[in-house]
Each structure stands twice: as structure tokens, then as C-alpha cells.
């Protein structure tokens, strides 16, 4: 039973890591000047999916800027 829980945790950790990488990639591509549709295409999603990843990067992962 313990090994099953460990596998599920690892899968969740992998999912979280991949999701964070996708959010960062969306942010980096957009900041590099790519159009939303191009960002989406590079990430295998739609323009709207790319926008959502970018926004989630800003909300979850972006370093906090001091005033």
C-alpha cells in the first residue's frame, strides 16, 4: 500500500513540475515577442490556452517585485 501512495505522489510531483515548466515557457515565449497563437502552437495548445498559462505563471510562479 505504501508503494502505491509513493507512486501517486511521484506522479503528482511530475505533473506539477511539467505544469510549472509549461507556464514558464509560455511566459518566456510571449516576452520574447511571439504572438499568442505562436506561443500556443509551440506548447501544443490554443491561443487561449497560452494566455491562461501566461497568466497562471504571473499569479503562481513569477518572482515578487518590490516597489
Amino acid at each position: 500500500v505504501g508503494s502505491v501512495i509513493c507512486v501517486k505522489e511521484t506522479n503528482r510531483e511530475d505533473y506539477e513540475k511539467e505544469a510549472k515548466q509549461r507556464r514558464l515557457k509560455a511566459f518566456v515565449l510571449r516576452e520574447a515577442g511571439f504572438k499568442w497563437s505562436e506561443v500556443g502552437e509551440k506548447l501544443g495548445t490554443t491561443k487561449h490556452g497560452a494566455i491562461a498559462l501566461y497568466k497562471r505563471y504571473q499569479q503562481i510562479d513569477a518572482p515578487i517585485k518590490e516597489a
Side-chain angles (χ1 to χ4, degrees), residues 16-44:
E16 292 288 343
K17 184 177 178 181
E18 290 172 17
K20 186 173 184 171
Q21 290 172 345
R22 282 174 54 80
R23 292 190 301 266
L24 175 61
K25 190 169 184 178
F27 181 82
V28 169
L29 290 170
R30 181 62 179 177
E31 294 296 307
F34 287 91
K35 295 178 183 177
W36 285 120
S37 58
E38 294 171 325
V39 175
E41 187 177 314
K42 290 181 180 295
L43 292 171

Side-chain angles (χ1 to χ4, degrees), residues 36-57:
W36 285 120
S37 58
E38 294 171 325
V39 175
E41 187 177 314
K42 290 181 180 295
L43 292 171
T45 188
T46 64
K47 162 176 110 171
H48 299 289
I51 294 168
L53 288 167
Y54 180 92
K55 287 182 179 179
R56 283 198 298 273
Y57 171 83

